[in-house]
Amino acid sequence: MVVTNVQQQMQQSFQTHVDENLLLDCMRCGFCLPSCPTYLHMEQDEAQSPRGRIALMKAVRDGIVPFDASVEQSFDLCLGCRACEPACPAGVQYGALIEQTREAVQEVKQSTFVEKTTRKIVFNHLFVKQKNMEHAVSLVHLYQKTGLQKAVRKIGFLNLFPKHLKTMEASLPPVAKKVQPLKKVKAASMKVAFFTGCLMDTLYKETNEKTVSLLQMLGVDVVIPDNQSCCGALHGHSGELKRGKQNLIRNVELFDSDDYTYIVNNAGGCGAFLKEYEKHLHSDERYREKAVRFSEKTIDISSLLVKAGLLDYLATLPQQENKTLVTYQDSCHLRNVNKVFNEPRMILQALPNVHFKELSNANTCCGSAGIYNLLQPASAGNILTTKMATIKALQPTVIVTANPGCLLQIQSGIHKEKLEASMQAAHIVDFIYKSIENYSKISKIY
């Protein structure tokens, strides 16, 4: 085997970035295999499984296997859903390993000019400064508001784009409407800070406003610190954590206060990364303690709503006769990293207008996985097709989820299957708000 200079650099990069102790935790037992979407969808190819990828990481690190296109594809095709972690009896930290691996690859990989430029725009500008994200999303709203969207669709301009992009365009949320605050039903009980997120505070700004309204209804005092940064999840998942650390540092500094009990978020993917700030900043003595406090205070909106007494409030509402059939699609990171899966279901089951039914594969990835559906459309499409088959078998009126990427992906699936007339996807906050909006107008403090 001829070892090139690039191969040596790649091996050295793996030795620098990929923790050998974490690699050695894997016992190759195979308990992860049934939980891995890519392994199941790719003819049970070991190279597309968690233990197979870990074996490749170790082999590249040790110089046994040269890093080539097939090895890179194995890492690229990983969704990063981390469903393998709860299934692993040895507690292998696969999420950390795939992030370290992608960072090692990016440090040495000879990228094209287009890829370098794209990464620079995305990771140095778009997901660093919230104003840049706001400007980008304002163009989407302008596209919808001016009637340009209708014109573009009518003349068939979108047919020039790949099919998956055309489907995603059809799934874009409409321009945000003004949210009416809900009437308070509980006296003040706690104070929290709200992590607004980048996509959630632009593309889904209405959902953020409803989040605040629901919490205030339950007597929660909500503080929204200014100048927040993107959580850094896309940086971390794309091998760009070095660039993204400035986001993490800005956020831990901004939210470092004893004034509030929790730091709440309403996006499963963001919440998981926020919860692991303590890991990502552990080696930085300046921010280590602040990162620990930040991670300890981080909480998902469903968990906080339960703590704030939403279930008690819902128990006071009269049940409706005609109930909507609703199911729930887990956000992978919310379930597998933050271990939040009961609270959303408890809330949905308690809503007075809901007949809840469990989706048979609710705990498996929908194929969104951050920007995976853009980078790996074929694999993401196959995974979504499997997801939509079980959704169609259940025939719910509403599929509720708790992450913007999942929401867009499920909406894409509904559009692709031409089910818009009978089915819709909704963020859990939007669905709760809509379900109790009329009750809130007549509610009394209890």
Side-chain angles (χ1 to χ4, degrees), residues 106 115-123 238 240 243:
Q106 282 304 315
E115 185 179 353
K116 284 180 180 177
T117 304
T118 302
R119 281 182 170 268
K120 188 173 181 180
I121 292 171
V122 171
F123 298 118
S238 304
E240 299 283 357
R243 295 184 186 184

Side-chain angles (χ1 to χ4, degrees), residues 83 161 169:
F161 293 87
E169 186 276 343

Side-chain angles (χ1 to χ4, degrees), residues 161-178:
F161 293 87
K163 193 174 180 180
H164 71 282
L165 291 180
K166 182 180 177 182
T167 303
M168 290 192 72
E169 186 276 343
S171 306
L172 287 172
V175 177
K177 299 177 183 177
K178 187 173 178 61

Side-chain angles (χ1 to χ4, degrees), residues 176-361:
K177 299 177 183 177
K178 187 173 178 61
V179 172
Q180 294 298 320
L182 299 173
K183 184 179 177 182
K184 187 174 287 190
V185 298
K186 279 186 69 178
S189 58
M190 71 174 80
K191 188 174 184 178
V192 304
F194 180 31
F195 183 86
T196 55
C198 46
L199 272 182
M200 291 305 301
D201 208 40
T202 49
L203 203 59
Y204 292 99
K205 195 169 185 67
E206 187 176 330
T207 306
N208 270 5
E209 292 178 4
K210 289 176 180 176
T211 299
V212 174
S213 182
L214 281 169
L215 290 171
Q216 290 175 336
M217 181 193 80
L218 295 170
V220 178
D221 185 6
V222 183
V223 176
I224 305 177
D226 293 328
N227 302 317
Q228 298 182 33
S229 286
C230 165
C231 68
L234 285 180
H235 290 85
H237 301 332
S238 304
E240 299 283 357
L241 187 58
K242 190 179 292 184
R243 295 184 186 184
K245 277 193 176 177
Q246 60 183 308
N247 291 29
L248 280 64
I249 289 169
R250 188 179 300 143
N251 288 329
V252 296
E253 288 275 33
L254 190 64
F255 284 85
D256 192 40
S257 171
D258 294 328
D259 289 346
Y260 32 80
T261 309
Y262 296 107
I263 301 169
V264 63
N265 70 87
N266 58 11
C270 297
F273 202 76
L274 296 172
K275 198 72 174 175
E276 295 192 329
Y277 269 18
E278 59 180 305
K279 290 184 181 179
H280 296 304
L281 294 176
H282 180 73
S283 59
D284 194 323
E285 292 183 4
R286 297 168 298 170
Y287 304 105
R288 183 187 300 154
E289 291 184 7
K290 291 181 180 181
V292 169
R293 288 195 293 271
F294 185 98
S295 294
E296 287 176 348
K297 287 186 177 182
T298 294
I299 190 171
D300 174 68
I301 182 60
S302 295
S303 300
L304 183 56
L305 287 172
V306 170
K307 286 180 180 293
L310 179 61
L311 296 179
D312 292 334
Y313 167 65
L314 294 179
T316 69
L317 303 181
Q319 295 291 311
Q320 293 184 15
E321 289 187 12
N322 297 320
K323 298 195 175 190
T324 302
L325 180 57
V326 176
T327 194
Y328 179 74
Q329 164 63 29
D330 286 287
S331 156
C332 291
H333 287 91
L334 184 61
R335 182 185 182 99
N336 299 326
V337 181
N338 285 4
K339 314 300 181 189
V340 176
F341 42 86
N342 287 328
E343 291 90 335
R345 289 168 169 83
M346 291 163 61
I347 293 172
L348 292 175
Q349 290 168 351
L351 289 171
N353 63 329
V354 167
H355 174 53
F356 179 82
K357 277 194 175 182
E358 188 67 38
L359 186 65
S360 62
N361 63 345

